[in-house]
Amino acid sequence: MPVTPARLEYDLKTIAKATATPGEGASRPTFSAAWAQAVEYVVGQARACGCQVRIDAGGNVHLRSAATATPVWLSGSHLDSVPHGGDFDGVLGVLAPLEVLRAAHEDDTDLPLELVIFAEEEGTTFGLGMLGSQAWTGRVDAQRLGCLRNESGRSYLESGAAYGVAPSRLEEDRLKAGDYRGFIELHIEQGPGLWKDGQPLALVTAINGRRQYNVALGGVANHAGATSMGDRRDALAGAAETIAAVEALPARLGPQAVATVGRIECQPNAVNVIASHVTFTIDLRAPRDEQLEQGDRELKRQLAAIAERRGLTLALEASEQLAATALDPAVCERLNAAAEAIGCTLPATASGALHDAAIVAPHVPTAMLFVASRDGISHNPAEFSRLEDIVLATRVLYGAVAGEGAAP
Ligand SMILES: [Zn+2]
């Protein structure tokens, strides 16, 4: 099983060079030249070991040996990045199965493995994450893809047309569950847990669900000097109280729940005017759906109470709902067995971040493997994972795909 560290290291360096911001981290917006350069490199490597390329109508790239009959294992992740991101997020999950395909090819072994490169995972290019996998699994349709636009105003369908996106084929090209034995996604942890504990890898047994909201609070703009404190309807002070309530919410939901207000806009945004209108976002995540339900109920109750007490108007719109995902016990067991066979034990964890695995999991038995990230830093040029940990994860993936016994 010649998983070759030097080859993986070369891959990492080559893909790191495919960026719109050289020297300032990975910037690979989906369907950009830098993104296409990274995809082409991986396709070239896979072709060189006998793989054929298929691009589904959602724009995801599939690579597998022509000789392999279905059902196969599916493994992959994404090559798009946030602006000024790191060199490991998503990339590892593509390179590990690529290396497994190359190693098997050298061994003259025909492994039942298909590599997938999902398009637009990050959501920073078209404003919605995991778009490629959502298109492939039918969670978003052509109409929605036509409405989502990048910075230059071009829709996912327009920008993706040159890269295989084909709205007329979306329905027929959807994921067929029977084609796959299971899906395994490798990813950096994006948290400090493994690095702190000196563990190279972990098995992900659940992915946190997510609810996102757009909130608008309306008050009355008025003179900051002449309006007494009792006579104000201050939308920004109401937002501040709401944000503090959002921050306090996760403690009542459970240890892995988190809530964030990451964006806020204020009008008229002037030093001497009471704010009349504030919009902001809420992002709530938890490993179990009942925690998300409870969080949703509490948010609605608290926001309504704050708005009423302050005489503000409130509009609360749920912009996204993704259920928490329990990953497949049989695929998890297979990864555990593959790790044990090479003397490695996998601690179990839940993923706080969403991944394509969460989108594929309702259709195909799915599991994830985390690789330690230095200090838990991601979406940042300082993102780093050790080569030896990446190699270990690749060997576990190889073992899981090649493993004897009944497929889960
Ligand atoms: Zn990622």
Side-chain angles (χ1 to χ4, degrees):
M1 194 178 79
V3 167
T4 309
R7 197 157 51 188
L8 278 164
E9 192 175 26
Y10 180 81
D11 293 339
L12 277 164
K13 284 190 178 145
T14 306
I15 291 187
K17 281 184 205 150
T19 173
T21 55
E24 295 172 38
S27 299
R28 278 191 295 276
T30 306
F31 307 137
S32 69
W35 175 85
Q37 187 185 334
V39 171
E40 266 166 39
Y41 171 75
V42 173
V43 167
Q45 289 290 308
R47 273 208 167 111
C49 65
C51 287
Q52 288 190 334
V53 191
R54 180 177 75 85
I55 301 175
D56 70 53
N60 310 295
V61 179
H62 304 255
L63 298 151
R64 80 153 91 125
S65 157
T68 310
T70 53
V72 294
W73 285 93
L74 182 69
S75 182
S77 194
H78 61 98
L79 292 175
D80 60 288
S81 78
V82 297
H84 304 285
D87 295 333
F88 298 83
D89 179 352
V91 175
L92 284 201
V94 172
L95 294 184
L98 172 66
E99 177 59 15
V100 170
L101 286 168
R102 291 184 300 211
H105 182 69
E106 279 172 359
D107 259 1
D108 261 332
T109 308
D110 187 28
L111 278 188
L113 174 63
E114 178 175 301
L115 162 59
V116 62
I117 305 168
F118 287 115
E120 182 61 343
E121 191 275 343
E122 294 290 3
T124 36
T125 313
F126 292 95
L128 187 64
M130 297 157 296
L131 258 190
S133 53
Q134 294 207 62
W136 191 40
T137 54
R139 277 186 71 109
V140 297
D141 58 15
Q143 197 197 352
R144 184 92 198 268
L145 293 175
C147 294
L148 295 165
R149 293 176 188 279
N150 62 14
E151 247 180 7
S152 49
R154 300 189 75 211
S155 76
Y156 189 86
L157 298 181
E158 289 162 345
S159 318
Y163 300 100
V165 175
S168 61
R169 282 196 295 114
L170 262 181
E171 299 255 343
E172 63 186 272
D173 232 8
R174 277 210 191 128
L175 167 113
K176 288 168 191 72
D179 287 351
Y180 299 103
R181 301 185 195 195
F183 174 53
I184 299 170
E185 182 172 6
L186 257 82
H187 205 279
I188 58 167
E189 184 187 21
Q190 299 179 286
L194 290 175
W195 190 271
K196 268 200 306 208
D197 295 347
Q199 288 278 354
L201 310 178
L203 182 69
V204 182
T205 54
I207 300 174
N208 280 2
R210 175 167 84 186
R211 306 254 175 133
Q212 288 183 335
Y213 306 84
N214 294 318
V215 185
L217 286 172
V220 177
N222 213 335
H223 196 288
T227 314
S228 77
M229 295 312 287
D231 290 328
R232 296 173 180 224
R233 285 199 253 154
D234 184 334
L236 188 53
E241 189 182 348
T242 306
I243 292 166
V246 169
E247 192 188 23
L249 174 66
R252 296 195 296 281
L253 303 181
Q256 283 169 317
V258 288
T260 307
V261 173
R263 193 174 73 206
I264 185 165
E265 275 158 30
C266 173
Q267 281 168 3
N269 209 26
V271 65
N272 58 351
V273 184
I274 295 163
S276 62
H277 196 73
V278 176
T279 56
F280 57 96
T281 55
I282 299 173
D283 177 303
L284 171 69
R285 304 181 195 216
R288 295 202 320 273
D289 285 332
E290 53 271 29
Q291 295 170 309
L292 292 169
E293 279 298 332
Q294 184 192 337
D296 181 82
R297 281 195 305 272
E298 290 201 20
L299 270 181
K300 285 176 178 158
R301 188 175 49 74
Q302 284 188 302
L303 266 66
I306 291 167
E308 198 188 325
R309 179 160 38 76
R310 290 174 169 273
L312 304 172
T313 61
L314 166 70
L316 176 68
E317 174 213 10
S319 54
E320 190 181 61
Q321 264 196 40
L322 288 167
T325 309
L327 296 178
D328 186 77
V331 183
C332 287
E333 202 29 64
R334 207 173 163 104
L335 284 164
N336 271 328
E340 262 169 40
I342 56 170
C344 168
T345 317
L346 301 176
T349 189
S351 174
L354 274 163
H355 300 286
D356 291 306
I359 306 298
V360 175
H363 307 272
V364 172
T366 293
M368 286 191 80
L369 206 52
F370 269 173
V371 179
S373 330
R374 183 173 60 198
D375 301 327
I377 290 172
S378 71
H379 288 188
N380 183 312
E383 191 178 281
F384 175 77
S385 291
R386 282 179 291 243
L387 183 63
E388 58 263 41
D389 297 349
I390 300 167
V391 169
L392 194 61
T394 307
R395 293 177 64 204
V396 172
L397 176 65
Y398 193 119
V401 171
E404 301 299 323

